[in-house]
Amino acid sequence: ALLGRMQAASLRPTSAALECALRACSKADQQEMVEAVWEVLRAEVANPSAPLRPPMRTYNTLMRALSGGIGPKRVDGARRRGAEQVLLAFDEAVRLRLPLDETAYKHALRACDLLGEWRRAFDLLDESRAAGAPADVLSYGNAMSACARNGRVGNVLQLLDKMRADGLQPNAFCYNSALIACTRASRLPQALSILREMEGEGGVEPTTHSYAALLRACSGAGDWRTAVQLLRRMERLELKAEAVHYGLAINACSRGGEDGKIMSLLREMQGMGLHPDVATFTTALSVCAANNQLPRALSLIERMYSLEVAPDVATYNVLLQACDRAAKHTEMVGLVQSMPKLGVEPNVVNYNTAIRALGRAGDLKRVAEMFSMMRSRGLEPEVSTFRAAINGTCDAAVAGLLELDAPLGRLREMRELGLQPDVAIQHSLLSAAAADPQRHAAVESELGVDAEAVMAAAAEAHDRRGAGRGRGWR
């Protein structure tokens, strides 16, 4: 308001006045007003008759005020915009040829961290050294964090060496950035090596964030043994594990095929008063489904609601699989019907799961009901939906529950809709007709394919999926 009155009285604000306005707006958390003052500053600098020549202090004050927009209380979009504005202000100071100091570089490096601009962070570190304003531990940490966001393990390790050469000792923030980079690059062994260095020659105690990064790497690698060892190590160090740590360990067990540990870790975390999130509950439900434990799965769903953890479509899909394994197809249909009332709209995957299970059971009436239900909810069947129906009913035909006419009817229906069968559908139909050479030839003719070529393509696809599972995190 005072700036406005000054301008109305044809009085030009000084740099000091603009700095006061920026500090006041920042303290009041008025980011829009900070930007308004910035516009006044720009106008004064661009004044053709007598341009303002602000000191570097003015732009440092501006960047500090703009940094309020990248605080932890801001949502991601606002934080990103705030970081972009800090870099714009920094670039303005460069264009004005102001003597950039350590404070200016700190603001810019923090913005690079949030934006993941690791290349610019590297350049800024070099520029600050050349300008006689060498980076401190925090600035190095910001540059490492920017690299970590992009999984740039080599660059993070390079920065660790650089800061030691500058006589600086990396802190937990720096080491955690290295751990996060290893996680994003799927390098668990290297992450564990950094942990040992951190505790050894680094003399830095790992934090809960350090262990979260390591457990995330274990989760990606499916290394459940290391994940459980890390949880036990946290106990010995008296670091309080949180729900996120247990959730990551449970996911590592799931990916590593260690179902037995999942339920014991779930009980352990609940015993500590920690509430699993929806992903952790869903992982535990998958164990129940795999082991045909429908009552236990239903009790977990009840537990979720009691803790006000809302199940999502993935949770319900696992529950549908549990119903299938227990041959509770009536309950499965009821579950799909009740999902919208429970605040979860079934998606294509949910319908596909139910359709395949019902088809495998030879229940053509309920398969048709699922197709109708899908359409009534505004979802059109996709190739994947017809694949579920055809594969399921082909299984039923092989088991003698249905005639092969049922899946062939679905084939004709999908073609009428302009959808073409993929290799998986072709393989199912040809396999189901394999026992009857005459019928097999008729199916091959209707599909318009070469049976041997289809079988070879299906085998190749199967091998690729198996190879992908076998590679794991490596």
Side-chain angles (χ1 to χ4, degrees), residues 1-21:
L2 287 173
L3 281 176
R5 290 173 66 179
M6 286 182 69
Q7 289 174 315
S10 299
L11 297 174
R12 295 181 61 192
T14 63
S15 296
L18 291 168
E19 290 166 26
C20 286

Side-chain angles (χ1 to χ4, degrees), residues 56-254:
M56 189 63 230
R57 183 189 65 242
T58 304
Y59 269 87
N60 282 341
T61 305
L62 170 61
M63 285 188 280
R64 182 180 179 83
L66 291 170
S67 293
I70 61 177
K73 293 182 180 179
R74 303 284 175 179
V75 297
D76 286 346
R79 295 186 73 200
R80 185 172 185 84
R81 183 170 182 273
E84 289 169 346
Q85 289 180 316
V86 168
L87 290 179
L88 283 174
F90 181 87
D91 290 339
E92 278 187 22
V94 171
R95 285 195 297 274
L96 292 171
R97 299 186 178 181
L98 299 180
L100 302 175
D101 56 16
E102 185 179 344
T103 302
Y105 284 108
K106 280 184 177 179
H107 286 309
L109 282 163
R110 186 184 176 210
C112 287
D113 173 6
L114 185 65
L115 295 170
E117 293 194 11
W118 65 273
R119 289 186 179 86
R120 181 157 193 191
F122 255 75
D123 292 341
L124 287 171
L125 285 176
D126 290 338
E127 290 169 18
S128 67
R129 185 181 290 104
D136 61 6
V137 174
L138 179 58
S139 296
Y140 267 108
N142 286 136
M144 290 178 198
S145 182
C147 293
R149 291 177 190 274
N150 293 277
R152 307 288 304 186
V153 181
N155 295 115
V156 173
L157 297 179
Q158 182 183 350
L159 288 172
L160 279 172
D161 290 338
K162 265 191 176 184
M163 69 183 299
R164 290 193 192 100
D166 285 348
L168 299 173
Q169 178 61 39
N171 61 8
F173 177 38
C174 298
Y175 278 113
N176 286 350
S177 294
L179 292 172
I180 291 168
C182 290
T183 297
R184 292 192 179 233
S186 301
R187 296 188 187 179
L188 176 57
Q190 197 164 11
L192 293 170
S193 175
I194 289 170
L195 175 68
R196 288 190 290 270
E197 178 189 327
M198 182 179 183
E199 294 177 312
E201 62 185 81
V204 177
E205 293 184 4
T207 65
T208 54
H209 294 295
S210 311
Y211 280 95
L214 287 162
L215 285 163
R216 191 164 281 110
C218 292
S219 172
D223 189 340
W224 64 270
R225 290 184 178 85
T226 302
V228 173
Q229 288 170 5
L230 289 170
L231 283 179
R232 301 290 87 88
R233 187 178 178 84
M234 289 183 74
E235 287 177 13
R236 291 195 297 273
L237 295 174
E238 297 184 352
L239 284 173
K240 184 175 174 55
E242 300 171 0
V244 64
H245 298 98
Y246 274 96
L248 290 166
I250 286 171
N251 194 48
C253 292
S254 174

Side-chain angles (χ1 to χ4, degrees), residues 93 439 453:
R439 193 64 190 269

Side-chain angles (χ1 to χ4, degrees), residues 15 32 110 122 130 165 187 276 304 329 405 443-444 468:
S15 296
E32 290 184 3
R110 186 184 176 210
F122 255 75
R187 296 188 187 179
M304 288 182 75
H329 297 119
D405 290 340
V443 170
E444 183 179 21

Side-chain angles (χ1 to χ4, degrees), residues 371 375 379-383 385-386 409-420:
F371 271 85
R375 290 181 168 117
L379 284 175
E380 284 300 317
E382 302 174 356
V383 170
T385 310
F386 283 98
R410 287 293 174 191
L411 171 68
R412 292 162 193 146
E413 180 186 347
M414 72 179 292
R415 281 178 160 168
E416 287 174 4
L417 293 172
L419 302 175
Q420 295 303 315

